[in-house]
Amino acid sequence: PQDSIDFFNYMITTIKKKLGFPETHLNLTEFDFVDTITCSNCSKTFTSLNTRKNNQASDPFYCFIIKPRQRPDECDEPVQLNLDEMIDDRCNYAFKNISETDLKGFKWLNWTCPNCQCHEGTIARKIKNAPKYLFINNRLDHGSREKDTRKKLKANLEFDINNLDISRHVLEGNGKYELIAFMHHMGRWAKWGHDISYV
Protein backbone atom coordinates (compact mmCIF):
# COMPACT_ATOMS: atom_id res chain seq x y z
CA PRO A 1 0.00 0.00 0.00
CA GLN A 2 1.33 3.41 -0.99
CA ASP A 3 0.55 5.19 2.29
CA SER A 4 2.42 2.50 4.22
CA ILE A 5 5.52 3.05 2.08
CA ASP A 6 5.25 6.83 2.57
CA PHE A 7 5.16 6.32 6.33
CA PHE A 8 8.07 3.86 6.21
CA ASN A 9 10.24 6.31 4.24
CA TYR A 10 9.32 9.15 6.61
CA MET A 11 10.14 7.01 9.65
CA ILE A 12 13.56 5.93 8.36
CA THR A 13 14.47 9.45 7.21
CA THR A 14 13.46 10.92 10.58
CA ILE A 15 15.51 8.34 12.47
CA LYS A 16 18.51 9.12 10.33
CA LYS A 17 18.34 12.93 10.29
CA LYS A 18 16.85 13.80 13.69
CA LEU A 19 17.63 10.99 16.10
CA GLY A 20 21.17 10.18 15.06
CA PHE A 21 20.57 6.44 14.73
CA PRO A 22 23.82 4.47 14.11
CA GLU A 23 24.69 4.16 10.43
CA THR A 24 25.23 0.42 10.84
CA HIS A 25 21.51 0.02 11.60
CA LEU A 26 20.35 2.20 8.71
CA ASN A 27 22.51 0.23 6.29
CA LEU A 28 20.24 -2.76 6.91
CA THR A 29 17.56 -1.20 4.66
CA GLU A 30 19.02 1.70 2.62
CA PHE A 31 20.61 1.39 -0.79
CA ASP A 32 21.67 3.45 -3.80
CA PHE A 33 21.03 2.99 -7.51
CA VAL A 34 23.82 3.43 -10.05
CA ASP A 35 22.19 4.35 -13.36
CA THR A 36 23.86 4.08 -16.76
CA ILE A 37 21.91 6.49 -18.96
CA THR A 38 22.12 6.40 -22.77
CA CYS A 39 20.83 9.46 -24.62
CA SER A 40 18.31 8.67 -27.38
CA ASN A 41 19.57 11.54 -29.54
CA CYS A 42 23.39 11.47 -29.45
CA SER A 43 23.83 7.91 -28.05
CA LYS A 44 26.37 9.08 -25.46
CA THR A 45 26.40 7.23 -22.14
CA PHE A 46 26.49 8.82 -18.68
CA THR A 47 26.51 7.48 -15.12
CA SER A 48 24.24 8.93 -12.44
CA LEU A 49 23.61 8.10 -8.77
CA ASN A 50 19.96 7.74 -7.80
CA THR A 51 18.37 9.39 -10.85
CA ARG A 52 15.02 10.87 -9.79
CA LYS A 53 12.22 13.16 -10.88
CA ASN A 54 13.51 15.71 -8.37
CA ASN A 55 17.08 16.84 -7.69
CA GLN A 56 17.66 15.05 -4.37
CA ALA A 57 20.08 12.59 -5.93
CA SER A 58 22.14 12.25 -2.77
CA ASP A 59 19.32 10.70 -0.73
CA PRO A 60 19.39 6.89 -0.64
CA PHE A 61 16.40 4.64 -1.26
CA TYR A 62 14.69 2.62 1.45
CA CYS A 63 12.17 0.83 -0.75
CA PHE A 64 12.27 -0.74 -4.21
CA ILE A 65 9.11 0.48 -6.00
CA ILE A 66 7.86 -1.61 -8.92
CA LYS A 67 4.97 -0.89 -11.28
CA PRO A 68 2.94 -3.29 -13.45
CA ARG A 69 2.82 -2.76 -17.21
CA GLN A 70 -0.94 -3.13 -16.99
CA ARG A 71 -3.03 -0.22 -15.73
CA PRO A 72 -6.18 -0.52 -13.61
CA ASP A 73 -8.36 1.26 -16.18
CA GLU A 74 -7.35 -1.24 -18.86
CA CYS A 75 -8.00 -4.50 -16.95
CA ASP A 76 -11.33 -5.58 -15.47
CA GLU A 77 -10.26 -9.16 -14.80
CA PRO A 78 -7.41 -10.20 -12.45
CA VAL A 79 -3.97 -10.34 -14.09
CA GLN A 80 -0.97 -12.52 -13.32
CA LEU A 81 2.17 -10.58 -12.35
CA ASN A 82 5.69 -12.01 -12.11
CA LEU A 83 7.91 -10.30 -9.55
CA ASP A 84 11.16 -11.07 -11.41
CA GLU A 85 9.83 -9.51 -14.63
CA MET A 86 8.60 -6.42 -12.80
CA ILE A 87 12.01 -5.90 -11.17
CA ASP A 88 13.66 -6.26 -14.59
CA ASP A 89 11.28 -3.60 -15.97
CA ARG A 90 12.26 -1.14 -13.21
CA CYS A 91 16.00 -1.73 -13.72
CA ASN A 92 16.00 -1.45 -17.52
CA TYR A 93 13.65 1.08 -19.08
CA ALA A 94 13.23 3.99 -21.47
CA PHE A 95 12.06 7.46 -20.42
CA LYS A 96 11.05 10.81 -21.88
CA ASN A 97 9.76 14.17 -20.72
CA ILE A 98 6.14 14.88 -21.54
CA SER A 99 5.04 18.38 -22.52
CA GLU A 100 2.69 20.44 -20.35
CA THR A 101 -0.13 20.13 -22.88
CA ASP A 102 0.04 16.32 -22.66
CA LEU A 103 0.02 15.83 -18.90
CA LYS A 104 -0.02 19.13 -16.98
CA GLY A 105 3.72 19.52 -16.91
CA PHE A 106 4.45 16.19 -15.22
CA LYS A 107 7.96 15.01 -16.01
CA TRP A 108 8.76 11.31 -16.06
CA LEU A 109 12.37 11.97 -15.18
CA ASN A 110 14.38 15.06 -14.38
CA TRP A 111 17.38 14.38 -16.62
CA THR A 112 18.95 16.38 -19.44
CA CYS A 113 21.77 15.11 -21.64
CA PRO A 114 24.91 17.22 -20.93
CA ASN A 115 25.98 16.80 -24.55
CA CYS A 116 22.88 17.62 -26.64
CA GLN A 117 20.26 18.74 -24.05
CA CYS A 118 17.92 15.91 -25.02
CA HIS A 119 15.40 14.69 -22.39
CA GLU A 120 14.93 11.12 -23.65
CA GLY A 121 16.98 7.99 -23.16
CA THR A 122 17.28 4.52 -21.65
CA ILE A 123 18.46 3.46 -18.20
CA ALA A 124 20.30 0.35 -17.07
CA ARG A 125 19.93 0.42 -13.28
CA LYS A 126 22.00 -1.45 -10.68
CA ILE A 127 21.79 -1.54 -6.89
CA LYS A 128 25.11 -0.25 -5.60
CA ASN A 129 25.07 -2.09 -2.26
CA ALA A 130 22.40 -4.71 -1.67
CA PRO A 131 20.78 -4.08 1.75
CA LYS A 132 20.31 -6.92 4.23
CA TYR A 133 16.54 -6.30 4.24
CA LEU A 134 14.91 -5.34 0.95
CA PHE A 135 11.48 -3.66 1.00
CA ILE A 136 9.53 -3.96 -2.26
CA ASN A 137 6.40 -1.92 -3.03
CA ASN A 138 4.14 -3.11 -5.86
CA ARG A 139 2.17 -0.07 -7.11
CA LEU A 140 -1.12 -1.67 -8.17
CA ASP A 141 -2.72 1.78 -8.57
CA HIS A 142 -0.11 2.84 -11.14
CA GLY A 143 -1.69 4.86 -13.95
CA SER A 144 -5.02 5.52 -12.26
CA ARG A 145 -5.74 9.26 -12.39
CA GLU A 146 -8.86 9.46 -10.24
CA LYS A 147 -8.44 11.63 -7.15
CA ASP A 148 -10.63 10.02 -4.51
CA THR A 149 -11.53 6.71 -6.15
CA ARG A 150 -8.15 5.73 -7.53
CA LYS A 151 -8.54 2.30 -9.07
CA LYS A 152 -6.36 -0.63 -8.04
CA LEU A 153 -5.24 -3.40 -10.37
CA LYS A 154 -6.64 -6.84 -9.54
CA ALA A 155 -3.59 -9.08 -9.58
CA ASN A 156 -1.96 -12.29 -8.45
CA LEU A 157 1.77 -12.00 -7.74
CA GLU A 158 4.16 -14.83 -8.61
CA PHE A 159 7.54 -15.13 -6.89
CA ASP A 160 9.80 -17.67 -5.17
CA ILE A 161 8.98 -17.39 -1.48
CA ASN A 162 12.36 -18.84 -0.40
CA ASN A 163 14.74 -17.39 -2.96
CA LEU A 164 14.25 -14.01 -4.61
CA ASP A 165 17.45 -13.64 -6.63
CA ILE A 166 18.12 -10.13 -8.01
CA SER A 167 21.90 -10.57 -8.21
CA ARG A 168 21.78 -9.60 -11.90
CA HIS A 169 20.86 -6.08 -10.78
CA VAL A 170 23.38 -5.80 -7.92
CA LEU A 171 26.91 -4.38 -8.08
CA GLU A 172 27.96 -5.27 -4.52
CA GLY A 173 26.42 -7.69 -2.05
CA ASN A 174 24.48 -10.92 -2.22
CA GLY A 175 21.24 -9.94 -3.96
CA LYS A 176 19.41 -13.05 -2.73
CA TYR A 177 16.43 -12.78 -0.38
CA GLU A 178 13.78 -14.89 1.32
CA LEU A 179 10.35 -13.63 2.33
CA ILE A 180 9.90 -12.74 6.01
CA ALA A 181 6.87 -10.40 5.84
CA PHE A 182 4.10 -9.47 3.41
CA MET A 183 1.57 -6.62 3.51
CA HIS A 184 -1.59 -6.80 1.43
CA HIS A 185 -4.35 -4.24 0.81
CA MET A 186 -7.94 -5.45 0.47
CA GLY A 187 -10.52 -3.20 -1.13
CA ARG A 188 -11.74 -1.92 -4.48
CA TRP A 189 -10.05 1.50 -4.28
CA ALA A 190 -6.47 2.40 -3.38
CA LYS A 191 -7.59 4.94 -0.75
CA TRP A 192 -10.20 2.75 0.92
CA GLY A 193 -10.04 -0.75 2.35
CA HIS A 194 -8.05 -2.71 4.87
CA ASP A 195 -4.36 -3.54 5.26
CA ILE A 196 -3.30 -7.02 6.32
CA SER A 197 0.24 -8.08 7.16
CA TYR A 198 1.73 -11.56 7.43
CA VAL A 199 5.04 -12.02 9.28
Side-chain angles (χ1 to χ4, degrees):
Q2 183 63 18
D3 53 353
S4 301
I5 295 303
D6 289 340
F7 172 74
F8 176 75
N9 288 333
Y10 171 78
M11 177 183 69
I12 295 295
T13 303
T14 301
I15 288 174
K16 181 177 181 180
K17 294 183 178 179
K18 296 185 178 180
L19 301 182
F21 212 59
E23 289 290 334
T24 52
H25 290 72
L26 289 171
N27 290 341
L28 295 176
T29 59
E30 72 178 29
F31 59 94
D32 293 300
F33 283 120
V34 176
D35 297 331
T36 302
I37 306 175
T38 303
C39 177
S40 295
N41 183 50
C42 67
S43 299
K44 287 189 177 295
T45 299
F46 306 90
T47 300
S48 174
L49 183 68
N50 297 339
T51 310
R52 281 182 166 94
K53 293 173 187 173
N54 55 43
N55 294 319
Q56 297 174 334
S58 60
D59 293 343
F61 286 88
Y62 300 104
C63 180
F64 197 136
I65 298 178
I66 57 177
K67 300 176 182 179
R69 297 175 185 174
Q70 302 89 339
R71 294 174 180 264
D73 296 331
E74 301 170 348
C75 305
D76 293 327
E77 300 297 324
V79 298
Q80 204 75 17
L81 302 178
N82 182 276
L83 184 58
D84 285 333
E85 293 177 358
M86 296 177 73
I87 290 175
D88 289 343
D89 286 345
R90 295 302 291 168
C91 286
N92 299 282
Y93 62 94
F95 68 92
K96 64 180 178 179
N97 280 9
I98 296 178
S99 67
E100 292 188 16
T101 55
D102 291 333
L103 202 56
K104 298 181 180 178
F106 177 80
K107 301 293 178 65
W108 289 109
L109 199 64
N110 185 21
W111 184 83
T112 301
C113 177
N115 182 59
C116 69
Q117 308 305 309
C118 176
H119 301 292
E120 299 185 18
T122 59
I123 284 184
R125 169 164 280 188
K126 299 280 188 181
I127 295 177
K128 185 177 181 181
N129 296 294
K132 182 173 182 179
Y133 300 105
L134 181 67
F135 289 80
I136 299 177
N137 174 220
N138 184 5
R139 285 292 309 273
L140 295 180
D141 63 333
H142 170 55
S144 179
R145 302 296 176 190
E146 299 297 328
K147 184 177 179 180
D148 294 321
T149 55
R150 198 166 66 244
K151 291 184 179 179
K152 188 183 71 174
L153 186 69
K154 301 175 185 177
N156 298 314
L157 186 63
E158 295 178 335
F159 62 95
D160 188 338
I161 193 172
N162 296 312
N163 181 30
L164 174 64
D165 189 354
I166 60 168
S167 301
R168 61 195 178 279
H169 300 302
V170 172
L171 292 177
E172 300 176 26
N174 192 348
K176 294 183 179 180
Y177 296 92
E178 62 178 342
L179 181 71
I180 60 174
F182 185 87
M183 177 175 275
H184 171 60
H185 175 262
M186 296 180 66
R188 184 178 182 185
W189 313 113
K191 283 191 174 184
W192 309 97
H194 189 65
D195 295 336
I196 301 174
S197 61
Y198 307 86
V199 183

